[in-house]
Amino acid sequence: MPAVPAVDQPTAWLTEWPLWGVEFMLQAQQMQLEAWRCWQGSLQFAGNECWDWWTSHCAGGVPLDG
């Protein structure tokens, strides 16, 4: 960061706080996306388990993936 003149020191935070807000929002959005991806992975696992159960009990066969 470039050196800020002594006169601008008290007001330097006025130019920096919007960037802090944007950075915080981007981090929050990344956390939400990661939580959504984990949730989708657990739903995919549950769907695969249900499909395997259905094919082995109701369709009269074994799951294709062994």
Side-chain angles (χ1 to χ4, degrees):
M1 186 165 130
V4 179
V7 176
D8 291 338
Q9 283 292 343
T11 59
W13 65 273
L14 288 172
T15 59
E16 294 177 3
W17 77 266
L19 296 176
W20 295 336
V22 169
E23 194 173 319
F24 174 75
M25 287 190 296
L26 288 175
Q27 288 175 351
Q29 189 176 31
Q30 286 176 336
M31 289 171 49
Q32 289 174 340
L33 181 61
E34 186 62 31
W36 181 77
R37 289 179 58 213
C38 288
W39 178 65
Q40 290 294 314
S42 64
L43 286 179
Q44 180 182 9
F45 178 76
N48 288 343
E49 288 297 312
C50 289
W51 177 253
D52 288 347
W53 179 85
W54 185 84
T55 55
S56 62
H57 287 89
C58 300
V62 290
L64 294 176
D65 58 357

